[in-house]
Amino acid sequence: MIYLDAAATTPVRPEVLQAMWPVLSGTYGNPSSHHEVGEAARAALEDARRRVAAVLGCRPAEVLFTSGGTEADNAGLKGIALARRARDPERDRVVVGAVEHPAVLESADFLARVHGFSVDVAPVDGLGVVDPDAFRALLSERTAVVSVMYANNEVGTVQDVASLAAAAREAGVPFHTDAVQAGGALPLSVKDLGVDALSLSGHKLGAPKGNGALFLKSRTPFEALIHGGGQQRGRRSGTEDVAGAVAFATALGLAEAERLSGGAALAARRDRFVAAVLDAAPGALLTGHPERRLPGSASFCFPGVSGETVLLELERRGIVCSSGSACAAGSTEPSAVLTAMGIAAEVAQTAVRFSLQSGTRQEDLDVVARSVGEILGRFAPA
Ligand code: PLP
């Protein structure tokens, strides 16, 4: 099998499994317990927190472990919005980018439906880039929080988070970014980005599913979403998943090292693949920004041939990819991301996303590009 669906999930790294094993077997204590085995678990947890903080360039106390990217996004948006409005009832609006993941869009919708917030959507251009002027114009004295993703999961477009976050800071509005796809692919220094909150997910980096983190800058107003025993300084109750935190920290460290040593080579393999697909399949469109995109992202529309047909034919040849986000797999609706970018519904229905990882080999990519050419040669309308 040639696996080109790393944006959906990644295999667990052997080093991550190795790092988890002692925690699952020997250091099984509850990190809140004050005996030896509890304290050993606490030490493993806090060591993981320090390692995550080192990658983000923040303080360990600013790292909250979560059950994944979805929870981190929910906490980043709802937790800040609710706290901000509790202090200042006039702050009853949130701004979100038009091509956010459902974890952000549905959180915004919840704030509107249940808590009476208004949601302002920052539009994107045809390449998926948030319009900076339109974004600035949405910021007001009434904005409680904004959320704009670092990089898009369907088309790979990277936003200029630093300049959007600077505009939000000038307006006195906390800035959350969903960096789930950016982890291991783009620099994650929260100081350089200037963000107040940032979400990450372990399973996109080589950890098992069900773990992630939220960076929450100290003194950012935050209302916990999960209440209970007051773990993680009361910001996220529940006995911590120590093995998950260790897995997450280990995977993030490895992914970051790979980014530094091999990110440019991955982008070069991707560029050659994109050129080969466009060559083999005349009429194909690259979606998203041609340069400002994740190094492993190659997403296309193949007008005239449904995305499902291409996926099925590729899978018959042992090649696995997706038509868009994994959450929308099987849906017959055109992608909301592509339609927000102004792509017509019938073209959006033809989307195919290839997402590469550091181990993806050029010779496999050459095979995939040739296969795409054959499939389109067979199915494209004359
Ligand atoms: N945000 C983005 C951009 C994603 O791509 C994903 C996963 O597909 C998520 C959030 C959700 O992360 P998780 O699967 O860890 O809940």
Side-chain angles (χ1 to χ4, degrees):
M1 177 181 70
I2 301 177
Y3 183 77
L4 294 180
D5 206 9
T9 199
T10 55
V12 177
R13 296 167 186 267
E15 302 93 322
V16 168
L17 274 177
Q18 255 167 28
M20 290 174 81
W21 179 247
V23 185
L24 291 167
S25 51
T27 321
Y28 53 80
N30 185 321
S32 296
S33 297
H34 290 292
H35 47 57
E36 202 179 320
V37 69
E39 274 159 18
R42 163 71 51 194
L45 179 68
E46 297 312 326
D47 175 63
R49 207 186 299 278
R50 273 192 296 278
R51 287 190 279 144
V52 174
V55 173
L56 301 182
C58 68
R59 302 209 323 252
E62 295 174 316
V63 174
L64 281 188
F65 287 116
T66 67
S67 64
T70 298
E71 185 191 328
D73 282 346
N74 272 257
L77 198 66
K78 296 179 196 167
I80 297 174
L82 292 171
R84 207 75 211 292
R85 196 182 58 178
R87 288 186 190 181
D88 179 358
E90 302 281 289
R91 298 232 177 227
D92 62 353
R93 305 188 76 91
V94 298
V95 175
V96 294
V99 294
E100 298 299 309
H101 189 272
V104 166
L105 294 178
E106 292 298 317
S107 292
D109 183 58
F110 169 83
L111 286 169
R113 279 185 298 106
V114 179
H115 292 284
F117 280 82
S118 298
V119 179
D120 297 309
V121 178
V124 295
D125 65 15
L127 303 176
V129 179
V130 169
D131 177 335
D133 296 328
F135 172 77
R136 263 188 215 98
L138 291 175
L139 300 171
S140 77
E141 312 255 288
R142 289 184 56 188
T143 313
V145 63
V146 309
S147 185
V148 176
M149 71 201 322
Y150 195 174
N152 185 265
N153 47 307
E154 291 189 37
V155 297
T157 297
V158 175
Q159 304 295 343
D160 187 353
V161 166
S163 84
L164 299 175
R169 192 162 53 249
E170 249 169 60
V173 179
F175 190 100
H176 166 261
T177 191
D178 174 340
V180 165
Q181 293 291 341
L186 300 172
L188 290 180
S189 159
V190 292
K191 289 204 180 70
D192 292 349
L193 292 170
V195 296
D196 301 284
L198 176 145
S199 300
L200 288 168
S201 169
H203 74 99
K204 312 287 184 183
L205 305 168
K209 290 141 194 75
N211 57 75
L214 177 69
F215 156 73
L216 187 63
K217 192 172 166 188
S218 59
R219 290 197 286 280
T220 305
F222 182 73
E223 196 64 63
L225 304 188
I226 299 182
H227 304 99
Q231 288 90 343
Q232 304 205 65
R233 296 166 179 245
R235 294 169 305 179
R236 204 273 190 182
S237 284
T239 303
E240 298 90 337
D241 174 3
V242 183
V246 167
F248 176 71
T250 307
L252 181 65
L254 292 166
E256 177 65 4
E258 264 171 20
R259 175 182 81 78
L260 293 170
S261 64
L266 175 62
R269 293 200 295 282
R270 186 275 319 277
D271 287 344
R272 177 166 147 183
F273 173 63
V274 167
V277 169
L278 294 177
D279 196 44
L285 308 168
L286 177 71
T287 54
H289 199 288
E291 289 110 35
R292 292 197 49 130
R293 63 187 302 134
L294 289 167
S297 160
S299 54
F300 301 90
C301 283
F302 298 116
V305 184
S306 85
E308 287 306 317
T309 303
V310 177
L311 291 191
L312 222 69
E313 288 297 318
L314 285 172
E315 192 159 9
R316 276 157 44 102
R317 294 162 168 81
I319 299 159
V320 178
C321 56
S322 73
S323 57
S325 69
C327 329
S331 157
T332 50
E333 292 294 306
S335 145
V337 168
L338 297 179
T339 45
M341 288 163 55
I343 294 176
E346 65 275 15
V347 177
Q349 300 275 22
T350 71
V352 176
R353 173 187 75 177
F354 302 94
S355 41
L356 293 49
Q357 52 195 331
S358 60
T360 305
R361 299 181 314 168
Q362 190 76 63
E363 54 264 41
D364 287 342
L365 292 172
D366 294 343
V367 169
V368 177
R370 273 200 301 278
S371 301
V372 170
E374 278 164 31
I375 293 165
L376 291 180
R378 217 171 106 206
F379 290 92

